[in-house]
Amino acid sequence: MDWHLARALLEWQVELGVTEALGADPVDRFASVAEARAEREAAREAPPETRRDAPSAAAPATPVAPPPDDAAVAIDAAERAARAAQDLPSLHEALSVFPHCGLKRGARNCVFADGNPQARVMIVGEGPGADEDRIGRPFVGRAGQLLDVMFGAIRLSRESPDPGQALYITNTVPWRPPANREPTKDELAMLRPFLLRHIELADPEILVVVGNVACDALLGRRGILKLRGKWAEVAGRPAIPMMHPAYLLRSPEAKREAWADLLELQARLRALP
């Protein structure tokens, strides 16, 4: 069993409601505490030269961990790699091999994009979850299913071959953050050059910025409940912030506002030539 399978099984058990990890055989915790106490007392009474914690002259020096990548260096490397990509496949490759982001070490897949790259509408979400990390596509879990239903209501689909009725979907970060935490400011800044280049190469007519993290990365602001439905400009094109489907799953009463935002998007698309 590799690390990824073990983690997936553990997450599955947590989702089922497991709260305690029990072994097949009972463990006497009182005996374990007593044994540990006895070992500490024996170590204190032992002569200095026999103690396990006594330093050894022949012991090799502890290797020093390399310092973390400097943020400015990482951002500069990202900008150079993003500029060098001349199309979406080469950008995907550059992002997959980018060595400076620590999120990559704990993720299974680089979740790049899904849908039709020629779509008029490009959705930018927050980051991959467990399902997205396992499958390698954005928005495939419960929130993704709701997103498909929402945009299907205005006749837009990631499956459509027609650019006028298609969606193209990506995220602010391509790797799943540990325990589904939000990406940090440094991580967003580091990966922003790839995201902006992604938007430039896909060249959509309209951006849909989904959730607080995406608003932070592209608009430099948070507060999705105040930002939603209000047009902004990102990378020289109109962008509309919307609530994340995961928020709508937790707060279904907000679906009325989400529907109003979808109608606003539909009206803007109809007004474009």
Side-chain angles (χ1 to χ4, degrees):
M1 181 184 298
D2 64 8
W3 182 89
H4 293 295
L5 178 57
R7 178 169 177 169
L9 289 173
L10 179 60
E11 290 173 345
W12 175 69
Q13 290 176 334
V14 171
E15 289 177 0
L16 290 179
V18 175
T19 58
E20 300 290 342
L22 303 178
D25 300 319
V27 177
D28 187 346
R29 305 293 180 187
F30 295 103
S32 300
V33 171
E35 290 174 1
R37 185 182 298 113
E39 289 180 357
R40 289 196 299 269
E41 291 175 354
R44 284 197 298 267
E45 295 173 358
E49 63 274 8
T50 63
R51 291 181 185 174
R52 288 180 296 176
D53 58 351
S56 172
T62 303
V64 178
D69 290 325
D70 180 77
V73 172
I75 293 173
D76 181 66
E79 290 175 345
R80 286 186 282 105
R83 282 196 305 268
Q86 299 302 308
D87 52 30
L88 292 174
S90 60
L91 182 67
H92 187 181
E93 176 64 22
L95 192 54
S96 298
V97 300
F98 185 67
H100 298 278
C101 185
L103 294 177
K104 180 179 179 180
R105 292 192 288 270
R108 180 181 299 184
N109 280 303
C110 177
V111 182
F112 183 68
D114 194 23
N116 187 340
Q118 281 78 46
R120 299 175 70 192
V121 176
M122 181 176 182
I123 297 174
V124 179
E126 298 188 345
D131 293 322
E132 290 77 11
D133 183 43
R134 184 179 69 255
I135 297 173
R137 294 166 51 211
F139 281 101
V140 295
R142 291 183 62 217
Q145 294 167 15
L146 178 56
L147 181 136
D148 289 338
V149 171
M150 290 168 56
F151 283 86
I154 59 171
R155 298 183 179 180
L156 295 178
S157 169
R158 71 174 89 191
E159 307 295 339
S160 176
D162 179 5
Q165 297 182 331
L167 292 172
Y168 186 57
I169 307 173
T170 190
N171 280 315
T172 57
V173 298
W175 297 289
R176 181 193 181 194
N180 282 353
R181 66 162 172 79
E182 288 191 355
T184 66
K185 288 280 189 181
D186 287 343
E187 290 163 348
L188 290 177
M190 183 190 309
L191 296 170
R192 191 170 186 269
F194 289 106
L195 178 58
L196 293 177
R197 184 61 172 159
H198 200 161
I199 294 170
E200 183 180 4
L201 291 172
D203 195 23
E205 296 180 27
I206 291 179
L207 285 171
V208 178
V209 185
V210 178
N212 268 324
V213 173
C215 286
D216 195 356
L218 292 176
L219 302 175
R221 290 177 289 167
R222 283 179 172 252
I224 189 61
L225 297 182
K226 292 183 178 179
L227 294 172
R228 54 145 291 269
K230 298 176 182 177
W231 288 96
E233 183 175 307
V234 173
R237 66 205 76 223
I240 182 169
M242 289 189 182
M243 291 176 285
H244 199 286
Y247 175 79
L248 298 176
L249 289 172
R250 299 190 302 267
S251 305
E253 67 277 3
K255 289 182 180 179
R256 180 177 60 180
E257 287 78 11
W259 176 238
D261 296 343
L262 288 168
L263 293 178
E264 177 67 23
L265 170 63
Q266 185 182 52
R268 186 67 174 257
L269 284 169
R270 288 174 175 171
L272 291 175

